[in-house]
Every structure is written in C-alpha cells, then in structure tokens.
Amino acid sequence: MMENTKCIEKVEKKVCDHFSISVPNKPEYVNVVRLTTSAIASRMGFNIEQIEDIKVAIAEACTNAIKHGLCNHNQNFDINFFIDDEKIIIDVIDKGTGFASNEIEKPDLTSPKEGGLGIFIIQSLMDKVEIVSEIGKGTRLQMIKYLGDDI
Amino acid sequence: MMENTKCIEKVEKKVCDHFSISVPNKPEYVNVVRLTTSAIASRMGFNIEQIEDIKVAIAEACTNAIKHGLCNHNQNFDINFFIDDEKIIIDVIDKGTGFASNEIEKPDLTSPKEGGLGIFIIQSLMDKVEIVSEIGKGTRLQMIKYLGDDI
Amino acid sequence: MALYINKNYNKEEQLWMINIAGEIDIYTANQLKETLMKMLDEHNENIKINCLELDYIDSTGLGVLIGALKRLKKENKSIIIINPKKNISKLLTITGLNKIFIIEGE
Amino acid sequence: MALYINKNYNKEEQLWMINIAGEIDIYTANQLKETLMKMLDEHNENIKINCLELDYIDSTGLGVLIGALKRLKKENKSIIIINPKKNISKLLTITGLNKIFIIEGE
Ligand SMILES: Nc1ncnc2c1ncn2[C@@H]1O[C@H](COP(=O)(O)OP(=O)(O)O)[C@@H](O)[C@H]1O
Ligand SMILES: Nc1ncnc2c1ncn2[C@@H]1O[C@H](COP(=O)(O)OP(=O)(O)O)[C@@H](O)[C@H]1O
C-alpha cells in the first residue's frame, strides 16, 4: 500500500500544470502580473522571501518586454508558468525587436549607468535563467526557481 | 488644444486592452484567478464593493467550468478580460460538456437545494450576463461590469 | 486559500458552536462538509456558526450549509449564522438564504 | 501601484529630505525622475531619501536614482538612503549599489 502511494506520487510529479497569460504591452499591467505570480508561488508553498524574489524577477522580465521588446501598442506579450512539485518555470515571451543576448554585460560599478541592471537582477534572484533572442523576431526569457532551500 | 485632447481621449476609449489567461482545470487555481481579477479591477478604478462582486462572480464561473464543464484533468479553460474606460468584459470559456443554458432555473427558496446558486449569484452581482453553451462542445459565460455607479 | 474550523459541543444548551476562519470555496468546501456531517452524526443538534473570521464563501460553500440544514430541519433544528462580514451578508441576502438560516449580529 | 513623494529642503544643513512611499516601477519611475530633476534644478545638494514606507523598487527605479547620483557626484554630493526594507536592502546589495549610495538604518 505504501509502495503504491509512492508510485502514484511519482507519476503525478511528472505531470505539470500549465498556467499562461497574455498581457497588454503597457506598464500598468506589470503589477497585475506580479500579483498573479505571487498567488501562484504562494499556492505552491514558496516562502515569503522566495515569493518576493520571483515577483521582482518577473517584473523585470515584463518591464524589458514592454520597454525594449514591443513597440506596437496593440501587441501583447505572453507568460507561461509550468508548475510542478519541485519548481516553477516561467517563460516571458515577446514577438518584438529582439537583441544580441550573448552580449549582455555585468553592471560595472566603477561607472554606474542608468540601465543594464534588469537581467542581472533576474539572474541573481532565480536559480536558472536562459535567454533566447533573435533580432526582428523577439525574445524568450526563461527562468526557474526551485522549491525547498535556496541554492 | 483642449478640443484636440478630447478627441484623442475619444479615440483611445474605443481601443480596449485584452488580457487573457489559460487556467489548469483544478480547484486550487480559482483563487489565483480571483487575485488576478482583483488586481485588474482595482487598477481600473472599481471601488472595493465592486471589486468584491467581480471576484465572487468570476470564482463562480471558474468553479462551474471545473465542476461541470471539464472532465479531463489535463485540459485548461480560458478567461478573456476586455478592459476599457467604461467597463470590464470577462469571458470564461471551457471546451467541456456544455449544457442546456436556456433551462436555468431561479433558486426555489421553499425547497432549498445544495446546488443551483452559482449562475444566479453571477447574474445578481454583474450588470450583464450571457451564457452560450452547446452540449458536447463547451460553454462561454460572458459577464460585464460597468465602472461608475452601480446600476 | 485555507479554511480553519474549530468546533465545540455545548452539552447544557445541546448546541454545536463552531468558528470558521478563512475561505470556503470549491477547494475547501469538502473539508467543511466532512466536518459538519461528522458533527451531525455525533449530535444532530442546532449549529451556531461564528463567521467573524470568515472572509469568503462561494456557492459551493453555501451548498454545504444548505445540505446540513436539510438534515437538521427533519428534526426541527436549525443553523444560526453569527457575525457575518458585509460581503457574506450580501451573498446571503441576494440568494434569499437569510430567510432560511437564522442570522445574528449583522 | 502608486508612488507618494514628499520633499523638503533643509536650508541650514543644505540637504534635501524626501519620503517615498509605495512602489517605484516602470509605471511610476518617471514621476520620481521628474521630482528629483526639479529638486536638483533648485538646489544641487545632498539628498536623504527615507524609504521606511517604500515597498518595492525595480531596476527602472534604481536607474532613476543612479541618474540623480551621477548629477550630484559632479559636485561631490551624494544620495543617502535611510531605513530601506529588507527586500530593498537585498536588491541594493545584489546590484552593488550599496557601495555607491550611502545606506543608513538597515
Ligand atoms: N525583451 C527584450 N527585447 C529586446 N531587448 C531586450 C529585451 N530584454 C533586454 N533587452 C536588451 O538588453 C539590455 C539589458 O537589459 P537589462 O539588463 O534588463 O537592463 P535595462 O532594461 O535597464 O537596459 C537592454 O538595454 C536591451 O537592449
Ligand atoms: N461551464 C459549465 N459546463 C457545463 N454545465 C454547466 C456549466 N456551468 C453551469 N452548468 C450547469 O448549470 C447548472 C447550474 O449551475 P449553477 O447555477 O452554477 O449551480 P451549481 O454549480 O451549484 O449546480 C449546473 O448544475 C450545471 O448543470
């Protein structure tokens, strides 16, 4: 009986929930996304500090999609949440201008600039970050946060 | 100059924002939808009582999609929010069993039943409600709430 | 997101007293249903529900209360709802359930 | 969702004191930028920012502060951030900005 339960748990673990949203390209919706993300993360059992990290990271990703990605005011961008027992995977996808994502620089503190902090913050707060971008096609930023102790 | 501003306002009024979400068919996500909806409605300027009404109504619609609409656990249902200066239109759409939506009865207080309150509550709290359902195809419940004084 | 139930049987008054805190919705309604049914199995007596800390109830939750009330009515017992918040009062009024339950401390 | 700024110039100390409450993000950052620029146009002096009621700042908001600091640094003035909440301290540390601004009351 014990064995059996464990087995079912293992099978269920593989199945993940997919929650997705399509967001208007406007600054006032970033906060809506933050609250949605917060609700999902708290439901999953992340602790308060982890939830705060995830909220900051997703807001930075949305801000980039709005500020750099999309020019057309009527275009939306998309967010996919993949949720399972171990982690949350969040994809922020815009079909905007794209950029050379392999040329991202770390912020240089000896000559601080107004910009260039967003992606660095996301990388610091999340466990794994991957950016795929193509000029003229758009950008997908994927970030992962694991439940359990911070790594 | 004054004239001009007014004109631009009028044009912008016609354009509405479209925010949409795709939700896993599980009770634990109803609360996530409620919080997302609350964030959108409060951003739009609805007052606290109106926000509460909208939250209750959308939760009832999601509950129906989950309880009656969808049987398959891996199927999502969709919510579309159309947002402009005057109102919010919310569509809750499932590709589930469907039902004879023209046969909905008002609750009978002389012999109270455990079920049959959800749609009645939605109709009481929102300004306009429309249900389109087809057996075997699914259901779309559309509800509208206007900003400004309750009507 | 979560529901907390605290129950207590008052032998002298032959009355169940329960405090409900949190939210009753499709996710938590079953927990309430099981608690109420178990209570009525023990003593099929009046139930006084303190809703002071209940933030939210949906139609599924109201359905559970109606189910319990139907069981009680057979023996002429009832459910007394005390201290409902404004949003919950509104729902009880809209649905007409304020005429079926006994509401106190609104 | 909203940002509240309250500013005051202390003539004796030649110091701007400002209280910031709410959230600084892509939606509100411009409001902060305009306020700071106007302040520095009036008196290009040290700015002490009380963050006791600031709940959230994003990279756009930090960018605005860096922009103001760059203007001040030219005349050897600075920005002093006091009473940042834990989440804001964390962001200042991660980005290394705690070495560029003067942080007090952490
Ligand atoms: N979604 C995106 N679409 C296009 N360009 C982007 C996107 N995200 C980031 N970038 C580019 O990467 C740069 C660095 O981004 P970031 O670290 O967030 O800093 P900032 O947004 O403050 O410039 C941006 O200036 C922009 O050129
Ligand atoms: N999305 C839906 N898909 C299929 N059937 C539905 C849906 N929504 C409502 N129904 C049908 O309409 C009936 C009335 O719904 P409602 O008023 O919400 O009460 P309840 O859900 O408590 O039964 C339900 O019992 C169900 O048969």
Side-chain angles (χ1 to χ4, degrees), chain B residues 46-92:
Chain B
F46 281 106
N47 66 36
I48 292 174
E49 191 174 348
Q50 290 170 321
I51 294 171
E52 186 63 34
D53 290 350
I54 298 171
K55 282 170 76 175
V56 171
I58 194 148
E60 294 294 345
C62 292
T63 298
N64 279 349
I66 295 170
K67 212 160 52 171
H68 307 298
L70 297 164
C71 327
N72 185 338
H73 248 307
N74 292 320
Q75 219 174 346
N76 278 29
F77 64 96
D78 296 297
I79 305 175
N80 292 315
F81 300 87
F82 300 96
I83 299 146
D84 66 29
D85 292 355
E86 291 167 356
K87 63 183 175 305
I88 185 166
I89 304 179
I90 307 176
D91 280 357
V92 179

Side-chain angles (χ1 to χ4, degrees), chain B residues 64-65 67-69 94 97-99 114-120 139, chain C residues 59:
Chain B
N64 279 349
K67 212 160 52 171
H68 307 298
D94 70 71
T97 56
F99 71 112
E114 281 90 338
L117 289 174
I119 291 171
F120 180 75
T139 303
Chain C
S59 67

Side-chain angles (χ1 to χ4, degrees), chain A residues 20-27 29-30 33 58-59 61-67 69-70 72 74-80 91-96 139, chain B residues 18-20:
Chain A
S20 68
I21 54 185
S22 166
V23 188
N25 176 27
K26 292 186 180 169
Y29 287 100
V30 174
V33 173
I58 194 150
C62 291
T63 298
N64 278 350
I66 295 170
K67 211 161 52 171
L70 297 163
N72 185 338
N74 292 321
Q75 218 173 347
N76 277 29
F77 63 98
D78 295 298
I79 305 175
N80 291 316
D91 281 357
V92 179
I93 302 162
D94 70 71
K95 297 206 168 59
T139 303
Chain B
H18 179 198
F19 189 105
S20 68

Side-chain angles (χ1 to χ4, degrees), chain A residues 34 62 89 116 147:
Chain A
R34 282 178 68 216
C62 291
I89 305 178
L147 273 157

Side-chain angles (χ1 to χ4, degrees), chain A residues 11-39:
Chain A
V11 173
E12 280 196 347
K13 248 185 197 166
K14 277 185 197 155
V15 183
C16 73
D17 292 339
H18 179 198
F19 189 106
S20 68
I21 54 185
S22 166
V23 188
N25 176 27
K26 292 186 180 169
E28 55 262 46
Y29 287 100
V30 174
N31 194 50
V32 175
V33 173
R34 282 178 68 216
L35 292 170
T36 303
T37 307
S38 172

Side-chain angles (χ1 to χ4, degrees), chain A residues 63-122:
Chain A
T63 298
N64 278 350
I66 295 170
K67 211 161 52 171
H68 308 297
L70 297 163
C71 325
N72 185 338
H73 248 308
N74 292 321
Q75 218 173 347
N76 277 29
F77 63 98
D78 295 298
I79 305 175
N80 291 316
F81 300 87
F82 300 96
I83 299 146
D84 66 28
D85 290 355
E86 292 167 356
K87 62 183 177 304
I88 185 165
I89 305 178
I90 307 175
D91 281 357
V92 179
I93 302 162
D94 70 71
K95 297 206 168 59
T97 56
F99 72 111
S101 55
N102 51 338
E103 291 170 15
I104 300 169
E105 286 168 19
K106 288 221 164 161
D108 172 12
L109 283 178
T110 59
S111 71
K113 281 185 297 190
E114 280 90 338
L117 290 174
I119 290 171
F120 180 75
I121 290 173
I122 297 172

